[in-house]
Amino acid sequence: MKKIKNICCLGAGYVGGPTMSVIALKCPDIKVTVVDLNVDRIAAWNDDNLENLPVYEPGLAEVVEEARGKNLFFSTDVDGAIAAADMIFIAVNTPTKTYGEGKGMAADLKFVELCARQIASVATTDKIIVEKSTLPVRTAETLQTILDSNGKGVHFEVLSNPEFLAEGTAIDDLFQADRVLIGGNDTPTGQEAIQALVDVYAHWLSPSQILTTNVWSSELSKLTANAFLAQRISSINALSALCEATEADVDEVAHAIGSDSRIGPKFLKASVGFGGSCFQKDILNLVYLCRYFNLPEVAEYWEQVIKMNDHQKYRFAKNIITTLFNTVNGKKIAFLGWAFKKDTNDTRESAAIYVAEYLIEDGAEIHVYDPKVSQAKVRADLSYLWELKGLTAEKIKQKQSQVFVYEDPKQAMNKSHAIAVLTEWDEFKTYDWKEIYQHMFKPAFVFDGRNILDAAAMKSIGFQFKGIGKG
């Protein structure tokens, strides 16, 4: 069987960049080239200053420094990398469709299809194609059809190898994976292709960590894993509302049920709601699939997970307005955090975006500080949301005038009426809250959307303090 010597990855984003960097580090005998049409992004991956990498992930800079220039390369020469590769990973964006059939639910496979067409037009030797992007079930079939219809007698074998990385811990997740899932066809060439990819991961993972399935099971396992995790978060968030109404403590409830070995403690942290690129997208995908296959009850069941998450964000924002005497018009609300979770600069579907939008609608001024998210990103996130809602450029400009972004957290909180914790960055726990209290309008309110601050200590300083699910 042919040994993989040359890997190419299409897409230098949150999945492609870190995954290929680790593969290069662990497989010094394989040349790994990550390609992207975005010239600025590739330039950032090649930047001598590792703080300028386009993806912030603890441990990533060290991995890139070790492998880059030896057997890890970042390039905009897509055709050259495709032609040279034995194995091609597709790790491009698959956002939820914002138009046409399946709008708001189905995955937009435009970029994946473009990749397949480009591979077919360039390839002159047999290739193994690996789906790495999060994709709906049966995408492999689509890829195979496009490749076989456009290729020049070249044999393509399509594998599904979904990523199960948690942002913020992606490098550890790659080094010590719970499992790597590889799905392929049950044919001699399909099994050979599976083995070739198993051999890549076997450079650092044990056989028990590498699972092989048919291609459909692999694709569906990715959607299902994210749906189950998101469901747990929505379940505890639903109960957080009941805890507030009954004076129970959601953290105590979560600890009590998490101690049951059948339930376990993970993903039971009540919060302002989940975000990120995958949870919402994958569940909406699952809902769309169920409707497509005429399973309306199953679709409704999973859709409720999203509805509950939306409700939690709305409930948090509404609580700020009602607590601040039913108006936030002209009031300064400081946001601590904009990323969807700590230790990442990813803001996709972040709860902060939606809470901000709701408060801005009520006339609030939003003053944002996040240690890893730039002013340009904060503004782009809000503009994108408002454009989707059909707002005019003039209206968007007006709303943007209510948004302020800082590099210094003290400035963001100075003379504010309230502080809302939207991301669980560790540094927020280390602030001198006594000093912050001195420089706020009184009564000084803190709304902890992540339950990371010490409620008793905050109240003893003088804050009016509200956590999630705290009666």
Side-chain angles (χ1 to χ4, degrees):
M1 190 187 71
K2 188 180 175 189
K3 197 163 165 42
I4 301 299
K5 282 282 172 204
N6 216 312
I7 286 176
C8 153
C9 176
L10 307 179
Y14 284 92
V15 174
T19 306
M20 293 303 123
S21 298
V22 169
I23 287 178
L25 181 73
K26 296 291 189 181
C27 308
D29 54 324
I30 298 175
K31 181 184 176 186
V32 180
T33 309
V34 186
V35 292
D36 203 294
L37 295 173
N38 185 327
V39 176
D40 293 340
R41 184 182 288 173
I42 291 299
W45 279 111
N46 284 320
D47 199 312
D48 287 340
N49 182 354
L50 292 161
E51 285 191 9
N52 293 336
L53 294 182
V55 172
Y56 173 71
E57 197 62 56
L60 174 62
E62 292 78 357
V63 173
V64 171
E65 187 176 30
E66 181 74 19
R68 192 175 62 186
K70 293 177 188 165
N71 66 323
L72 173 65
F73 304 92
F74 296 92
S75 167
T76 53
D77 178 13
V78 180
D79 286 359
I82 288 172
D86 311 310
M87 181 178 277
I88 301 169
F89 286 79
I90 297 179
V92 292
N93 199 10
T94 51
T96 302
K97 280 183 83 176
T98 55
Y99 58 89
E101 172 61 28
K103 176 183 176 178
M105 286 206 174
D108 191 342
L109 299 180
K110 179 174 72 175
F111 303 115
V112 173
E113 183 174 331
L114 287 171
C115 285
R117 291 185 183 280
Q118 192 162 1
I119 292 167
S121 73
V122 172
T124 53
T125 55
D126 294 356
K127 312 276 182 204
I128 296 170
I129 312 299
V130 185
E131 294 178 334
K132 202 71 191 160
S133 305
T134 300
L135 298 163
V137 182
R138 304 202 83 96
T139 304
E141 196 170 49
T142 306
L143 283 176
Q144 194 76 58
T145 305
I146 293 168
L147 290 162
D148 291 346
S149 307
N150 293 280
K152 313 168 193 71
V154 172
H155 180 76
F156 297 104
E157 200 63 54
V158 179
L159 300 177
S160 165
N161 174 220
E163 55 85 17
F164 295 105
L165 307 177
E167 288 183 39
T169 57
I171 299 301
D172 279 347
D173 295 343
L174 285 160
F175 283 160
Q176 302 152 33
D178 282 345
R179 80 300 200 193
V180 166
L181 191 55
I182 302 170
N185 293 317
D186 193 12
T187 59
T189 53
Q191 293 303 303
E192 229 175 78
I194 289 174
Q195 191 55 50
L197 187 51
V198 167
D199 290 346
V200 171
Y201 285 113
H203 279 76
W204 77 96
L205 298 173
S206 68
S208 64
Q209 291 168 289
I210 304 171
L211 311 179
T212 59
T213 66
N214 76 38
V215 78
W216 318 128
S217 298
S218 174
E219 289 179 327
L220 188 55
S221 295
K222 167 65 177 172
L223 296 188
T224 310
N226 279 345
F228 268 61
L229 293 173
Q231 179 195 46
R232 283 174 68 97
I233 298 171
S234 277
S235 296
I236 200 71
N237 280 344
L239 291 166
S240 73
L242 186 60
C243 288
E244 287 166 32
T246 57
E247 298 195 14
D249 183 321
V250 73
D251 286 342
E252 291 178 353
V253 172
H255 181 66
I257 64 169
S259 301
D260 185 326
S261 60
R262 296 165 302 174
I263 296 172
K266 293 184 177 173
F267 280 77
L268 290 178
K269 185 80 181 132
S271 71
V272 61
F274 60 74
S277 64
C278 279
F279 281 2
Q280 176 151 324
K281 182 176 78 175
D282 286 1
I283 296 168
L284 289 171
N285 223 313
L286 199 54
V287 170
Y288 181 73
L289 270 176
C290 293
R291 293 210 172 124
Y292 179 81
F293 290 111
N294 198 24
L295 303 165
E297 296 82 3
V298 184
E300 279 167 33
Y301 176 81
W302 287 109
E303 194 169 17
Q304 196 57 42
V305 174
I306 299 286
K307 286 181 178 170
M308 190 64 239
N309 193 49
D310 290 341
H311 172 68
Q312 189 75 344
K313 293 179 276 195
Y314 162 79
R315 204 170 72 78
F316 184 76
K318 190 165 182 249
N319 192 15
I320 292 175
I321 295 169
T322 44
T323 307
L324 267 65
F325 318 113
N326 268 328
T327 178
V328 289
N329 198 316
K331 290 180 180 171
K332 176 175 177 178
I333 314 290
F335 271 35
L336 290 181
W338 192 263
F340 86 91
K341 65 187 279 194
K342 73 173 184 177
D343 294 335
T344 179
N345 59 348
D346 195 351
T347 63
R348 287 176 288 182
E349 291 301 328
S350 175
I353 301 167
Y354 298 94
V355 175
E357 183 220 6
Y358 192 75
L359 295 174
I360 289 165
E361 194 61 39
D362 213 70
E365 284 187 5
I366 305 298
H367 295 250
V368 181
Y369 166 74
D370 186 290
K372 290 291 173 189
V373 181
S374 67
Q375 166 159 238
K377 190 77 188 86
V378 171
R379 294 196 180 281
D381 288 338
L382 287 166
S383 287
Y384 179 71
L385 180 61
W386 287 323
E387 281 162 15
L388 273 185
K389 293 196 163 191
L391 270 62
T392 63
E394 191 51 47
K395 190 76 178 153
I396 291 173
K397 189 178 172 190
Q398 184 192 323
K399 285 182 180 287
Q400 285 280 12
S401 71
Q402 292 167 244
V403 180
F404 306 84
V405 185
Y406 301 83
E407 291 187 5
D408 175 7
K410 278 187 187 168
Q411 280 185 299
M413 294 183 278
N414 188 40
K415 295 197 172 130
S416 61
H417 294 81
I419 295 167
V421 179
L422 275 303
T423 312
E424 69 282 20
W425 287 102
D426 292 334
E427 73 171 65
F428 300 159
K429 299 181 219 173
T430 67
Y431 290 171
D432 183 344
W433 286 100
K434 281 184 182 159
E435 192 197 339
I436 291 164
Y437 178 76
Q438 302 302 327
H439 296 100
M440 283 177 70
F441 286 111
K442 310 297 183 295
F445 296 95
V446 172
F447 299 87
D448 189 352
R450 298 288 172 181
N451 287 349
I452 59 167
L453 301 175
D454 181 332
M458 296 295 280
K459 285 174 186 170
S460 72
I461 291 169
F463 286 107
Q464 301 285 315
F465 186 85
K466 291 207 167 195
I468 299 270
K470 305 287 185 176

